[in-house]
Amino acid sequence: AQSVTQPDIHITVSEGASLELRCNYSYGATPYLFWYVQSPGQGLQLLLKYFSGDTLVQGIKGFEAEFKRSQSSFNLRKPSVHWSDAAEYFCAVASPEYGNKLVFGAGTILRVKS
Amino acid sequence: KAGVTQTPRYLIKTRGQQVTLSCSPISGHRSVSWYQQTPGQGLQFLFEYFSETQRNKGNFPGRFSGRQFSNSRSEMNVSTLELGDSALYLCASSLGGQVQETQYFGPGTRLLVL
């Protein structure tokens, strides 16, 4: 079965500092990987996704993520965090074998201090 | 294009009652998925509908059901409500229901069961 682990429940960074949110997945083949962001009281917005090809993917709002097969990881990064980035971030995995179903990690709450 | 809309946004029910939530996908999207979000269990997949057929189902009891209409609008129903059904219910739509497609989420319906 697929599973996703986000080891950090909360992360606090200073505005302007770099950010890395960790995500590890468990799946036999190469999964389809996603990062979503959820602001308070809002639905989820897709930041980026990876299926194949270049292991470094660029997303919206200046985010990027790197797929590392050997580590079963798909970490999200941003070089300089803005106060508006404060939100909850979810890593998700899907596979054609399981249909169009996203399996989400527990989420990481990002706090940005000025 | 208008985004995914969900009605109602907030709902309060008592134990034993039933509830129906509605989701209107983005125009032209044929796949609608439902997710339950709770602080304890996180985001969990309920089911997916494509062209009026349930194509995939998560691990929820039979009290949770859904349907999709010919215009792709979807409803989910929860019968005999329990306190543990209190959650944010999110729906997501995608164009053809393929795994690699972006799923667009609505703002959710927040259900409180008293």
Side-chain angles (χ1 to χ4, degrees):
Chain A
Q2 301 166 290
S3 68
V4 178
T5 301
Q6 293 181 248
D8 303 306
I9 299 174
H10 296 96
I11 281 186
T12 301
V13 298
S14 298
E15 192 169 15
S18 63
L19 170 70
E20 182 169 29
L21 302 182
R22 296 183 290 166
C23 171
N24 293 96
Y25 66 90
S26 173
Y27 186 63
T30 300
Y32 292 63
L33 296 160
F34 307 81
W35 274 100
Y36 281 86
V37 61
Q38 185 178 35
S39 297
Q42 302 295 316
L44 299 168
Q45 181 182 24
L46 179 70
L47 289 174
L48 46 79
K49 56 186 175 181
Y50 172 80
F51 308 136
S52 63
D54 192 349
T55 56
L56 185 64
V57 293
Q58 303 296 320
I60 62 170
K61 304 185 181 188
F63 286 92
E64 66 178 27
E66 186 171 14
F67 170 65
K68 291 186 178 180
R69 183 191 304 274
S70 61
Q71 298 176 21
S72 296
S73 69
F74 188 57
N75 294 347
L76 182 72
R77 300 195 295 247
K78 186 169 185 178
S80 177
V81 168
H82 188 262
W83 64 266
S84 61
D85 293 324
E88 189 162 15
Y89 292 80
F90 294 93
C91 181
V93 63
S95 168
E97 180 181 348
Y98 295 98
N100 190 23
K101 175 181 93 170
L102 293 168
V103 174
F104 288 91
T108 297
I109 297 172
L110 172 64
R111 298 187 179 119
V112 180
K113 59 182 182 180
S114 55
Chain B
K1 270 188 183 178
V4 177
T5 58
Q6 293 186 245
T7 56
R9 292 293 310 276
Y10 303 93
L11 208 47
I12 300 175
K13 292 287 187 179
T14 56
R15 277 182 301 175
Q17 288 187 309
Q18 73 164 12
V19 67
T20 299
L21 312 181
S22 179
C23 172
S24 293
I26 291 171
S27 177
H29 285 194
R30 295 169 64 192
S31 169
V32 174
S33 297
W34 288 89
Y35 292 83
Q36 182 196 63
Q37 185 176 24
T38 60
Q41 300 298 315
L43 280 153
Q44 294 185 288
F45 173 80
L46 280 157
F47 27 65
E48 182 209 2
Y49 286 86
F50 181 82
S51 292
E52 302 180 64
T53 301
Q54 187 181 87
R55 197 160 67 168
N56 205 349
K57 190 177 191 303
N59 190 25
F60 278 82
R63 299 185 298 106
F64 291 82
S65 63
R67 58 179 176 169
Q68 187 180 35
F69 302 94
S70 58
N71 62 358
S72 292
R73 189 177 71 84
S74 177
E75 289 181 347
M76 67 163 281
N77 183 275
V78 187
S79 62
T80 319
L81 284 165
E82 300 177 359
L83 296 179
D85 297 333
S86 295
L88 180 67
Y89 290 88
L90 295 163
C91 84
S93 75
S94 65
L95 192 61
Q98 299 296 309
V99 171
Q100 64 269 29
E101 293 174 354
T102 297
Q103 293 193 42
Y104 295 86
F105 283 79
T109 294
R110 187 164 295 280
L111 171 66
L112 177 61
V113 182
L114 301 176

